[in-house]
């Protein structure tokens, strides 16, 4: 049995980690959080230069032609480092949409510039506070143009194009709309995690191009993206666990290191358990994604739920371990707490993924 | 990344499977398994099966051939475990002897003693127990008081042990005692092995909350042990104990009892408030949590097996298994009873009744969370040995043992 990343993949992970550490991405996340910029353009161009955006794109479309296991290890490091870039939107969602469901001409037109990072894509799916379903999507595609509005579009104010879910006749499918097209209005929205920008988008007779249609494609897209999001969440969770440990080791109260109190040790042990379970489930997701396994819906939901739980546990208990300092703007704890919420919200809530998990087990009748 | 065997592993797996196929019957479903009519019958059947395993080279697989093993690699043991789990074969009774007493004898006994005692452990002819815990020394196991006094070359033992699994059918036991009560807690201990038929040993069963009695109290009154049965130096008993405690932690695995599959199938067949329980959102959320925990443990195990397959030693990360599965069992059992509404309180011992599985889980989980290291002790191990956090400050450090308050005072 070889249920582990290969030596090459672990080396890539190491390179990614060292690069992101050198770039002081946590500081950069704070700068974006406090400033006017929507994302770190300099970091984004370096990430693209490293080839991370090109990882899973085939060579014929200007990519590196590596696999999803490579993308998983990069995702973990981006999550660990809080990199304030539109990577998840552009790579896990927009690039994947085109790779999986785009025509060859769409691929030719978009993948090379997505690989090089010149173009940024975003996924516009949510319309209200109710999670999107095949029945409640109101955006509509007709005769080559799209009407309707979306909210909470991550990186919506920086994307060059959107992949939009919309109904067309009796089906719901995915459509590509350029952000510069006539009839597209973009309004930034303030969020709980300003280190990642969000926008509301309105489409009024905006020119759109259809990808392969069908609700099942949207489900597949979300399942594939869920594995990659889970790795980002895993990286973030582990970073919080390590931060909490380091702080506890160096903090003295009642005449001793607070890391020697069982109340703190057991808290850290709980974080470790959550991270170990999430990591193991993420590996399962990585395996399913990289081998196009029929178990992907189950594996994706499992790692998504597990990684969301781990990040929640670790980011909130990291603040708790830091005591009052953890609640200050000055300390970095809140950057992770915010990002945890952002990643948990991005492709649907915990309850939705738990429901998907049980539904997929019912369908598979694996029991 | 794959779940495949290497060619050598595949060859070994085939050999193991074919031997088992020829000597045992396959389980007919996930709930099928070996069950003995009584403890006595079970012990007989286990001994017959173990003898056969030994004769054909499948006993104590990682042990030296000279003592009855086959000098297998760790990954071969894992593969054997996976294959054997597909068959209805007798089990239990021998784990403590083979898993804990064997390794400590191998490290500390004389060559002559090894030749005498190890082979009967491998063949299943002799059963061993572990005499560690005491009424005043549970999690703080180094706080034992059972007294050992040396006169000439004979030790006299007085005291009481508790939670001793299988003491009532054991031939020998490994025993930790206090030989110097004026030394600090960890310094005054001495380790022995003892014949359980020695005069002065009295075994009394402990009735558990389930009504069963798997454990015992063991009383020692002027029990004589020759100095030749001492393992390790006088005063070095803690060091010797750690060898077996480490083996115990590796041996403790998944809590057995109803798990996700059982709860899922129950929810798909049981009505709750006028519709199937599986359609209830609260039920679905719980099921999803248990599935994620079960899956996380399964793939954590696969990661450990992969490390073994590469020839590496998996770390103490495996301590998470008992914490997660014990707590999961307690919740699943509670769910299984809760879903029967008020009727879930009715006790049934009917063979195969679904309820009884949850009722045993309800009792059993409370014990699993304590046995072989409590949740709390395991969390200390994770925080200290995995995360490198410091030990809690100890009030008994450097103080003579006989000045330390212990137990219920």
């Amino acid at each position: 049995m070889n249920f582990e990343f290969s030596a090459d993949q672990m080396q890539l992970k190491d390179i990614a980690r060292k690069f992101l550490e050198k770039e002081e991405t946590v500081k950069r996340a704070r700068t974006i959080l406090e400033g006017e910029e929507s994302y770190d353009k300099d970091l984004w161009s370096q990430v693209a230069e490293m080839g991370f955006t090109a990882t899973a794109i085939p060579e014929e479309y200007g990519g590196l032609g590596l696999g999803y296991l490579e993308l998983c290890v990069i995702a973990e490091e981006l999550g660990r480092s809080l990199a304030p870039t539109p990577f998840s939107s552009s790579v896990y969602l927009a690039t994947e949409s085109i790779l999986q469901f785009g025509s060859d001409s769409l691929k030719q037109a978009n993948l090379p510039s997505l690989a090089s990072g010149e173009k940024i894509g975003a996924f516009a799916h949510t319309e209200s506070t109710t999670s999107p379903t095949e029945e409640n999507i109101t955006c509509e595609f007709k005769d080559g143009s799209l009407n309707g509005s979306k909210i909470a579009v991550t990186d919506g104010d920086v994307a060059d194009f959107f992949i939009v879910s919309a109904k067309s006749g009796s089906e719901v499918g995915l459509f590509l709309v350029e952000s510069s097209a006539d009839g597209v209005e973009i309004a930034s929205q303030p969020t709980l995690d300003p280190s990642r920008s969000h926008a509301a988008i309105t489409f009024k007779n905006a020119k759109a191009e259809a990808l392969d249609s069908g609700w099942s494609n949207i489900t597949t897209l979300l399942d594939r993206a869920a594995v990659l999001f889970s790795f980002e969440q895993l990286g973030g969770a582990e970073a919080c666990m390590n931060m909490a440990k380091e702080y506890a080791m160096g903090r003295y109260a009642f005449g001793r290191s607070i890391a020697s109190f069982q109340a703190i040790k057991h808290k850290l042990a709980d974080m470790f358990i959550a991270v170990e379970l999430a990591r193991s489930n993420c590996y399962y997701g990585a395996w399913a994604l990289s081998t196009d396994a029929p178990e992907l819906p189950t594996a994706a939901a499992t790692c998504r739920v597990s990684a969301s739980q781990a990040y929640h546990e670790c980011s909130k208990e990291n603040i708790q371990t830091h005591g009052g300092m953890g609640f200050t703007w000055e300390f970095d704890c809140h950057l992770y707490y915010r990002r945890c919420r952002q990643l948990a919200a991005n492709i649907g809530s915990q309850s939705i993924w738990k429901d998907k998990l049980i539904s997929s087990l019912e369908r598979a009748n694996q029991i | 990344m794959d779940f495949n065997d290497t060619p050598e592993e595949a060859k070994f797996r085939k050999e193991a499977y074919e031997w088992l196929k020829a000597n045992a019957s396959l389980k007919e479903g996930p709930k099928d398994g070996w069950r003995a009519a009584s403890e006595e019958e079970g012990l007989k059947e286990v001994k017959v099966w173990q003898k056969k395993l030994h004769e054909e080279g499948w006993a104590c697989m990682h042990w030296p051939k000279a003592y009855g093993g086959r000098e297998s690699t760790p990954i071969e043991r894992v593969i054997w475990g996976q294959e054997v789990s597909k068959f209805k074969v007798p089990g239990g009774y021998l784990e403590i002897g083979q898993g804990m007493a064997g390794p400590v004898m191998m490290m500390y006994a004389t060559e002559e003693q090894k030749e005498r005692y190890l082979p009967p452990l491998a063949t299943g002819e002799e059963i061993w127990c572990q005499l560690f815990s005491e009424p005043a020394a549970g999690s703080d196991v180094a706080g034992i008081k059972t007294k050992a006094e040396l006169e000439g070359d004979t030790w006299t033992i007085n005291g009481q042990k508790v939670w001793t699994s299988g003491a009532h059918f054991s031939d020998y036991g490994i025993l930790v005692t206090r030989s110097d009560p004026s030394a600090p807690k960890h310094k005054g201990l001495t380790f022995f092995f003892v014949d359980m038929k020695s005069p002065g040993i009295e075994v009394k069963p402990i009735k558990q909350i389930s009504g069963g009695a798997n454990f015992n109290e063991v009383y020692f009154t002027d029990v004589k042990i020759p100095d030749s049965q001492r393992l390790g130096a006088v005063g070095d008993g803690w060091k010797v104990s750690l060898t077996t405690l480490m083996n115990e932690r590796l041996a403790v695995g998944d809590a057995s009892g109803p798990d996700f599959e059982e709860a899922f199938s129950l929810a798909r067949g049981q009505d709750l408030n006028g519709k199937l329980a599986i359609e209830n959102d609260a039920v679905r959320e719980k099921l999803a949590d248990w599935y994620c925990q079960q899956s996380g443990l399964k793939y954590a195990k696969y990661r450990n097996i992969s490390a073994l397959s590469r020839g590496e030693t998996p770390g103490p990360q495996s301590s998470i298994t008992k914490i997660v599965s014990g707590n999961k069992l307690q919740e699943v059992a509670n769910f299984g009873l809760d879903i029967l509404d008020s009727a879930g309180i009715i006790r049934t011992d009917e063979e195969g009744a679904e309820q009884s599985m949850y009722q045993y889980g309800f009792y059993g989980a409370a014990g699993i969370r304590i046995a072989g290291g409590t949740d709390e002790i395991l969390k200390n191990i994770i925080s200290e040995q995995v995360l490198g956090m410091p030990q809690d400050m100890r009030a008994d450090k450097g103080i003579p043992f006989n000045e330390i308050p212990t137990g219920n005072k």
Side-chain angles (χ1 to χ4, degrees):
Chain A
M1 184 175 294
N2 180 25
F3 189 59
E4 203 30 280
F5 288 99
S6 71
D8 284 351
Q9 286 151 1
M10 292 309 277
Q11 198 187 358
L12 172 64
K13 183 175 167 171
D14 194 50
I15 289 168
R17 187 190 297 211
K18 286 186 178 137
F19 157 72
L20 292 161
E21 269 171 12
K22 185 174 68 67
E23 291 304 322
E24 300 187 300
T25 47
V26 178
K27 259 192 202 163
R28 288 172 182 259
R30 179 178 283 278
T31 305
I32 298 301
L33 176 86
E34 292 174 342
E36 295 300 315
E37 294 293 324
S38 293
Y39 72 106
D40 190 322
K41 293 189 177 72
D42 172 58
L43 181 63
W44 176 245
S45 66
Q46 291 195 60
V47 162
E49 213 166 285
M50 293 292 286
F52 294 167
T53 42
T55 308
I57 298 174
E59 284 170 283
E60 55 178 312
Y61 299 116
L64 294 175
L66 296 170
Y68 287 93
L69 294 178
E70 284 77 7
L71 196 50
C72 286
V73 297
I74 290 168
E76 185 180 335
E77 294 313 316
L78 289 168
R80 187 188 313 280
S81 65
L82 291 180
T85 69
F87 198 87
S88 55
S89 300
S90 197
V91 178
Y92 314 154
L93 290 161
T95 301
E96 270 304 294
S97 298
I98 294 171
L99 260 178
Q100 301 298 324
F101 310 114
S103 63
D104 194 57
S105 69
L106 266 186
K107 288 181 185 169
Q108 299 283 5
N110 292 287
L111 291 177
S113 46
L114 282 166
S116 68
E118 288 158 69
K119 250 189 202 177
I120 293 169
F123 181 50
H125 191 35
T126 301
E127 296 184 352
S128 71
T129 52
T130 306
S131 74
T133 65
E134 192 170 5
E135 290 75 32
N136 72 10
I137 297 268
T138 61
C139 273
E140 190 165 15
F141 172 83
K142 209 173 174 183
D143 304 329
S145 58
L146 203 133
N147 280 285
S149 58
K150 298 285 184 182
I151 59 165
V153 178
T154 311
D155 305 303
D157 56 349
V158 302
D160 298 289
F161 69 88
F162 305 107
I163 299 292
V164 187
S165 58
K167 57 184 177 178
S168 167
S170 60
E171 272 197 322
V172 172
L174 296 170
F175 301 87
L176 188 149
V177 181
E178 299 288 341
S179 58
S180 59
D182 289 339
V184 177
E185 277 175 36
I186 301 164
S188 295
Q189 292 187 294
T191 69
L192 294 175
D193 179 15
S195 73
R196 300 284 281 105
S197 72
H198 289 71
I201 324 276
T202 309
F203 304 98
K204 284 180 189 150
N205 293 319
K207 186 168 166 261
E209 199 169 337
L211 281 72
D212 293 344
S213 67
W215 178 254
S216 67
N217 289 345
I218 297 178
T219 306
T220 303
L221 173 69
L222 290 173
D223 285 347
R224 298 180 70 86
V227 175
L228 299 159
F229 272 92
S230 299
F231 272 89
E232 277 210 19
Q233 293 172 298
L234 172 66
E238 199 169 76
C240 289
M241 177 180 82
N242 290 333
M243 266 176 91
K245 186 186 86 176
E246 291 309 319
Y247 186 76
M249 301 277 269
R251 171 86 183 172
Y252 284 73
F254 305 100
R256 54 171 160 150
S257 159
I258 65 166
S260 68
F261 288 109
Q262 294 193 28
I264 299 292
K265 288 161 76 174
H266 290 187
K267 192 186 284 304
L268 265 298
D270 287 335
M271 291 190 211
F272 177 80
I273 291 168
V275 169
E276 269 303 283
L277 292 175
R279 177 171 298 285
S280 303
N281 284 323
C282 280
Y283 281 29
Y284 176 41
W287 167 80
L289 177 64
S290 66
T291 57
D292 283 317
E295 292 92 335
L296 179 67
T298 301
T302 303
C303 65
R304 168 71 174 171
V305 171
S306 199
S308 299
Q309 287 175 336
Y311 205 175
H312 179 61
E313 168 89 16
C314 293
S315 65
K316 74 187 170 75
E317 296 308 323
N318 181 37
I319 294 180
Q320 187 69 15
T321 305
H322 278 72
M325 294 314 290
F327 188 60
T328 62
W329 189 268
E330 181 195 346
F331 271 54
D332 289 336
C333 304
H334 68 111
L335 303 182
Y336 291 90
Y337 192 56
R338 293 171 193 278
R339 183 63 62 83
C340 167
R341 186 86 292 278
Q342 191 273 325
L343 289 171
N346 206 159
I347 49 168
S349 73
Q350 175 98 243
S351 298
I352 294 292
W353 282 98
K354 284 184 177 178
D355 191 68
K356 279 192 194 199
L357 171 57
I358 297 303
S359 300
S360 82
L361 291 169
E362 286 180 292
R363 266 197 316 278
N365 207 11
Q366 286 168 340
I367 308 305
Chain B
M1 188 180 274
D2 62 61
F3 300 114
N4 306 330
D5 287 330
T6 64
E8 300 78 53
E9 288 163 7
K11 185 169 164 265
F12 179 82
R13 188 183 296 282
K14 190 161 174 269
E15 192 189 338
Y17 181 84
E18 280 172 2
W19 187 86
L20 284 159
K21 190 89 199 296
N23 291 282
S25 46
L26 275 162
K27 286 181 185 168
E28 277 157 30
K31 285 178 195 167
D32 194 19
W34 172 79
R35 249 179 230 98
S38 66
E39 188 178 79
E40 243 182 344
E41 284 303 309
L43 186 55
K44 265 188 215 158
E45 288 174 44
V46 161
K47 285 190 168 192
V48 170
W49 173 243
Q50 187 64 29
K51 188 160 176 272
K52 193 182 231 177
L53 286 177
H54 176 259
E55 280 165 5
E56 311 220 11
W58 299 103
C60 297
M61 289 169 49
H62 59 304
W63 285 15
K65 286 179 184 157
Y67 305 136
R70 68 184 280 149
E71 291 166 22
S72 283
T73 60
I75 193 74
E76 286 176 343
R77 287 175 76 197
V78 168
I79 292 170
W80 170 259
Q82 289 171 338
E83 295 309 306
V84 92
S85 71
K86 298 172 185 166
F87 291 86
K88 281 199 274 196
V89 298
Y93 306 90
L94 301 170
E95 283 82 356
I96 292 170
Q98 295 178 346
M100 293 178 224
V104 86
M105 290 293 283
M106 225 162 306
M107 271 185 88
Y108 293 100
T110 64
E111 192 48 48
E112 202 177 305
Q113 287 168 334
K114 288 188 222 178
E115 282 166 18
R116 158 64 188 86
Y117 294 102
L118 290 173
L121 270 172
T123 61
E125 284 162 81
E126 288 174 353
I127 312 279
W128 286 55
C129 61
Q130 180 210 40
L131 300 148
F132 280 23
S133 298
E134 292 185 9
S139 288
D140 183 12
V141 73
I144 56 124
K145 291 175 175 168
T146 292
K147 217 189 305 175
E149 291 163 302
L150 180 65
E151 210 186 301
D153 57 4
T154 302
W155 293 84
T156 303
I157 313 292
N158 279 288
Q160 185 200 342
K161 295 290 172 180
V162 75
W163 316 129
T164 314
S165 309
H168 53 300
F169 53 70
S170 288
D171 301 290
Y172 294 92
I174 45 174
L175 170 70
V176 61
T177 64
R178 184 158 305 277
S179 50
D180 182 1
S182 64
K185 189 167 76 175
H186 292 81
K187 307 275 184 196
L189 305 179
T190 299
F191 203 106
F192 302 95
F193 69 92
V194 59
D195 184 341
M196 289 300 286
K197 288 168 198 78
S198 308
I201 294 184
E202 189 188 357
V203 177
K204 287 185 184 169
I206 300 173
K207 188 172 179 184
Q208 299 150 202
I209 64 173
S210 59
N214 301 100
F215 310 109
N216 302 280
E217 295 177 300
V218 180
Y219 292 86
F220 290 79
T221 312
D222 293 330
V223 175
K224 304 290 178 196
I225 302 181
D227 191 47
S228 59
Q229 287 180 206
R230 174 167 46 80
L231 298 173
V234 173
D236 257 358
W238 181 244
K239 200 176 99 191
V240 185
S241 305
L242 283 180
T243 316
T244 57
L245 290 174
M246 266 157 47
N247 281 300
E248 180 173 25
R249 274 161 204 148
L250 287 176
V252 174
D254 247 334
S256 67
D259 204 335
F260 171 81
E261 286 76 8
E262 287 76 19
F264 186 55
S265 105
L266 179 66
R268 297 177 90 184
Q270 177 76 31
D271 269 354
L272 180 66
N273 210 12
K275 54 182 188 181
L276 280 176
I278 192 74
E279 291 168 36
N280 180 298
D281 287 338
V283 169
R284 294 173 83 80
E285 283 231 6
K286 283 185 193 172
L287 287 171
D289 283 337
W290 297 327
Y291 184 85
C292 289
Q293 290 169 4
Q294 185 192 51
S295 162
L297 290 181
K298 173 177 166 187
Y299 294 107
K301 192 188 277 176
Y302 283 10
R303 287 168 54 213
N304 274 338
I305 295 172
S306 303
L308 284 175
S309 177
R310 287 192 303 271
E312 296 164 14
T313 313
Q317 283 91 329
S318 41
S319 342
I320 77 167
T321 302
K322 196 176 84 92
I323 301 180
V324 175
S325 65
N327 284 278
K328 170 159 53 69
L329 173 61
Q330 206 158 31
E331 293 309 309
V332 168
N334 194 53
F335 166 79
L337 297 175
D338 204 48
I339 215 164
L340 301 172
D341 209 75
S342 299
I345 196 70
I346 307 298
R347 181 74 203 265
T348 172
D349 277 326
E350 205 183 310
E351 183 70 28
E354 200 161 28
Q355 248 151 301
S356 74
M357 174 172 67
Y358 293 100
Q359 292 176 343
Y360 278 110
F362 170 76
Y363 291 132
I368 286 163
R369 293 187 49 209
I370 296 162
T374 60
D375 284 4
E376 291 72 21
I377 289 293
L378 292 177
K379 285 184 186 179
N380 284 351
I381 291 172
I382 290 171
S383 53
E384 288 166 21
Q385 294 181 17
V386 183
L387 298 174
M389 297 171 81
Q391 278 195 342
D392 201 347
M393 196 178 258
R394 282 178 29 212
D396 57 5
K397 217 161 192 168
I399 299 172
F401 180 74
N402 50 16
E403 292 172 22
I404 300 168
T406 55
N408 304 326
K409 70 168 180 184

